[in-house]
C-alpha cells in the first residue's frame, strides 16, 4: 500500500513530524549522537534554525563547559535507545 506521495511509512513519518512540530516543548531526535531533527519549539527556545541545529550544530545552544557532557549523553542515549 502506498500514498500518492510515496510509501505509507513516509506518510506516517510526515504526519508524526507535523504533530511533534506543534508540541509546546522542545523535541530533538538524535541518531548515533547527531541531531537529525528538531521541532519549532527548539527554534523558539534557542534561536537556532532546525537545519542549522542538525549534526552537531545543536551544541551552539549549549554552554561550551557542558559540551562534553551533552555530547556523551546524546551518544549514549542514541546507542542504548534510553535516557538515563
Amino acid at each position: 500500500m502506498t500514498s500518492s506521495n510515496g510509501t505509507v511509512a513516509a506518510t506516517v513519518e510526515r504526519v508524526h513530524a507535523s504533530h511533534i512540530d506543534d508540541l509546546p516543548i522542545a523535541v530533538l531526535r538524535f541518531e548515533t549522537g547527531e541531531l537529525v531533527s528538531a521541532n519549532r519549539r527548539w527554534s523558539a527556545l534557542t534561536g537556532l534554525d532546525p537545519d542549522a541545529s542538525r549534526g552537531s550544530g545543536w551544541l551552539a545552544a549549549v554552554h561550551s563547559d557542558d559540551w562534553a557532557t551533552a555530547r556523551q549523553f546524546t551518544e549514549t542515549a542514541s546507542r542504548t535507545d534510553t535516557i538515563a
Side-chain angles (χ1 to χ4, degrees), residues 28-36 58 70-84:
L28 308 173
R29 186 170 63 111
F30 290 87
E31 291 178 6
T32 62
E34 298 294 314
L35 183 72
V36 294
W58 63 276
R71 182 59 114 167
Q72 180 182 12
F73 176 83
T74 58
E75 288 173 357
T76 300
S78 294
R79 188 178 63 257
T80 63
D81 204 25
T82 60
I83 298 174

Side-chain angles (χ1 to χ4, degrees), residues 31-76:
E31 291 178 6
T32 62
E34 298 294 314
L35 183 72
V36 294
S37 66
N39 70 348
R40 284 188 293 218
R41 185 66 179 148
W42 166 257
S43 295
L45 288 170
T46 64
L48 296 175
D49 179 84
D51 290 332
S53 298
R54 286 196 176 106
S56 59
W58 63 276
L59 285 169
V62 177
H63 191 280
S64 59
D65 289 349
D66 298 322
W67 284 355
T69 301
R71 182 59 114 167
Q72 180 182 12
F73 176 83
T74 58
E75 288 173 357
T76 300

